[in-house]
Amino acid sequence: MNQSPQPLNFLEVLAQTKTSVWPFIQKYLVQSLQFPEFCQIDPKYQPELDFHQQIISDYPTRQGKYLRPTLVVNTALSMGESLEKVIPVAAAMQLSEEWILIHDDIEDDSLERRGAPTLHRQIGKELALNAGDSLHVIMWKMIFDYQNPKITEEFYQLLNRTTFGQTIDINWTKTNKTDLTDEDVLLILESKTCYYTISGPMRLGAIVAGASVDQLNQIYLFGRYLGRAFQIIDDVLDLTSDFSGLKKQPFNDLYEGKRTIILSHLLRTASPSEKKEIIEILSKTRDQKSEVEVNRIFSLITQYHSLDYAKELAQQFATQAKKILSDDLGFIKVEPYRHQLEMAIDFIINRQH
């Protein structure tokens, strides 16, 4: 990878990372069922082992964008580290996404993931939850095998903050919190997206490359702004994109009642009677909401230009991230990897899925 020509676009960067990281993940998935001699499984139970292998491999083999491991890899390489040294950490980062998504889909009762039915809708919540737990265990095996206390600590802080953000998100949805400020929503974003999707992966790559505390703090600030932009654009796309045909049900966030910048803006700007109507719809579960009701909320989102507000805010955050990269992240300097990180900002803002 170090000697390969510079990719033409960021999708090629993501594909390069996937080619490097996926075999490492695959190896651990296989090894996870190679039990030690003292607790070997009787061959007659091979069908049970095969089924377990099948369900724990489901989300990993669907393969998402690989944005997070790409940020791990490119940050390390841009600071002069070798690809071989950072691949295990990038793989653990990607595997964390797989078990989190399984659990997240159960918590939201989501219908689809990466163009196919969610795991719990295929095999039930109990088995899907256990598959997520299994991937969680394998992720920590990867991390412990790496034998770097700083990497272990960063994963702990990263995942600890993420689960805190999930608590807020679920609780505010369940209690139908509607007096939302942008600051409230940004708290969720910083916990669930900024750290987990941008700052954490980049900090992990930088730790592998021997970054100082000050450098890691600057990376966190960069990710704080870029992560906000990422999630806001993600929320916009949920209402406007079919994700290249992979998404079958539109307005998924509205069915789930997700607390987004878009919803926050709408609740602040709608008339009192419209706000009451929105709150009544949001109080219902996914299955209780009708298509007509969800379309009604979207029509109000359009009427009050809440999508435009969100897009403008995302652009402002991306601009702030670019300034930090330019002014404060000079230690991320080895090419073409620094340029590829710059490409990531435009990719996040301009992507269509």
Side-chain angles (χ1 to χ4, degrees):
M1 186 170 177
N2 288 17
Q3 287 75 39
S4 61
Q6 182 171 325
L8 297 177
N9 59 61
F10 195 68
L11 288 175
E12 293 180 350
V13 179
L14 297 171
Q16 280 189 349
T17 301
K18 192 177 296 187
T19 299
S20 299
V21 172
W22 168 241
F24 194 89
I25 293 174
Q26 219 171 6
K27 179 182 73 173
Y28 269 80
L29 289 173
V30 172
Q31 287 178 350
S32 70
L33 294 185
Q34 295 173 353
F35 296 104
E37 186 175 350
F38 69 86
C39 64
Q40 281 287 314
I41 306 299
D42 191 300
K44 70 180 181 180
Y45 295 114
Q46 189 60 44
E48 282 68 34
L49 283 170
D50 292 343
F51 177 69
H52 185 67
Q53 183 78 69
Q54 173 191 333
I55 65 174
I56 69 171
S57 300
D58 188 300
Y59 274 28
T61 54
R62 295 188 195 188
Q63 295 191 340
K65 293 185 184 71
Y66 272 54
L67 173 62
R68 295 168 185 85
T70 295
L71 294 177
V72 176
V73 168
N74 276 46
T75 303
L77 296 183
S78 70
M79 294 179 67
E81 191 50 82
S82 69
L83 178 63
E84 181 182 15
K85 185 77 176 291
V86 75
I87 284 296
V89 178
M93 186 71 237
Q94 179 60 35
L95 202 62
S96 77
E97 180 181 341
E98 312 301 353
W99 70 258
I100 285 175
L101 287 178
I102 292 174
H103 289 177
D104 194 55
D105 286 343
I106 294 170
E107 290 161 350
D108 295 337
D109 199 19
S110 300
L111 300 179
E112 296 172 319
R113 176 64 61 185
R114 297 172 184 162
T118 50
L119 189 60
H120 75 277
R121 287 185 175 264
Q122 295 184 55
I123 62 174
K125 292 181 179 179
E126 299 88 351
L127 283 169
L129 182 62
N130 192 61
D133 291 343
S134 299
L135 292 175
H136 195 174
V137 170
I138 297 169
M139 179 206 74
W140 282 114
K141 170 65 173 169
M142 287 180 174
I143 295 167
F144 293 149
D145 284 351
Y146 195 70
Q147 296 184 335
N148 183 329
K150 291 182 179 179
I151 292 294
T152 304
E153 176 67 16
E154 186 67 21
F155 264 103
Y156 162 71
Q157 296 297 347
L158 166 65
L159 295 172
N160 194 38
R161 182 66 187 267
T162 302
T163 56
F164 167 68
Q166 185 74 337
T167 293
I168 302 170
D169 196 9
I170 293 173
N171 188 49
W172 285 357
T173 299
K174 286 177 68 67
T175 58
N176 203 26
K177 179 177 173 63
T178 54
D179 56 336
L180 289 166
T181 66
D182 283 356
E183 184 180 14
D184 293 333
V185 179
L186 291 175
L187 173 63
I188 298 174
L189 267 54
E190 184 168 356
S191 301
K192 287 185 58 178
T193 305
C194 301
Y195 194 4
Y196 180 70
T197 299
I198 309 294
S199 298
M202 290 184 67
R203 281 169 59 94
L204 285 166
I207 289 169
V208 173
S212 67
V213 171
D214 182 63
Q215 288 171 338
L216 293 174
N217 289 341
Q218 292 297 328
I219 288 172
Y220 185 86
L221 188 60
F222 169 79
R224 189 179 187 184
Y225 288 110
L226 186 56
R228 290 174 178 178
F230 176 93
Q231 188 59 57
I232 292 171
I233 292 299
D234 217 48
D235 296 338
V236 168
L237 291 174
D238 180 78
L239 300 178
T240 61
S241 172
D242 69 351
F243 287 73
S244 295
L246 293 178
K247 180 180 170 186
K248 303 300 186 294
Q249 184 185 42
F251 310 148
N252 192 57
D253 286 351
L254 296 181
Y255 276 103
E256 292 178 5
K258 287 284 186 182
R259 270 40 187 173
T260 65
I261 286 287
I262 300 165
L263 184 61
S264 172
H265 179 267
L266 176 61
L267 289 168
R268 291 198 305 270
T269 54
S271 70
S273 62
E274 289 166 336
K275 181 175 180 179
K276 181 180 178 182
E277 181 184 5
I278 295 165
I279 291 172
E280 288 177 356
I281 296 172
L282 290 174
S283 68
K284 299 180 180 182
T285 66
R286 170 194 279 276
D287 293 335
Q288 290 172 339
K289 292 185 182 79
S290 70
E291 184 177 346
V292 171
E293 289 173 325
V294 170
N295 284 335
R296 170 60 175 159
I297 294 180
F298 182 70
S299 71
L300 291 170
I301 286 172
T302 303
Q303 177 182 333
Y304 286 101
H305 305 287
S306 297
L307 286 173
D308 295 332
Y309 172 80
K311 290 176 185 177
E312 176 59 30
L313 201 56
Q315 188 62 60
Q316 291 175 18
F317 289 139
T319 299
Q320 288 174 291
K322 285 182 178 180
K323 188 175 190 307
I324 292 170
L325 180 60
S326 173
D327 295 350
D328 302 319
L329 302 188
F331 54 90
I332 293 177
K333 59 185 178 182
V334 177
E335 295 292 1
Y337 311 109
R338 178 183 173 87
H339 177 64
Q340 290 172 7
L341 290 170
E342 292 170 348
M343 291 166 62
I345 301 176
D346 292 329
F347 170 79
I348 283 170
I349 285 294
N350 298 319
R351 74 192 196 278
Q352 299 302 309
H353 59 84

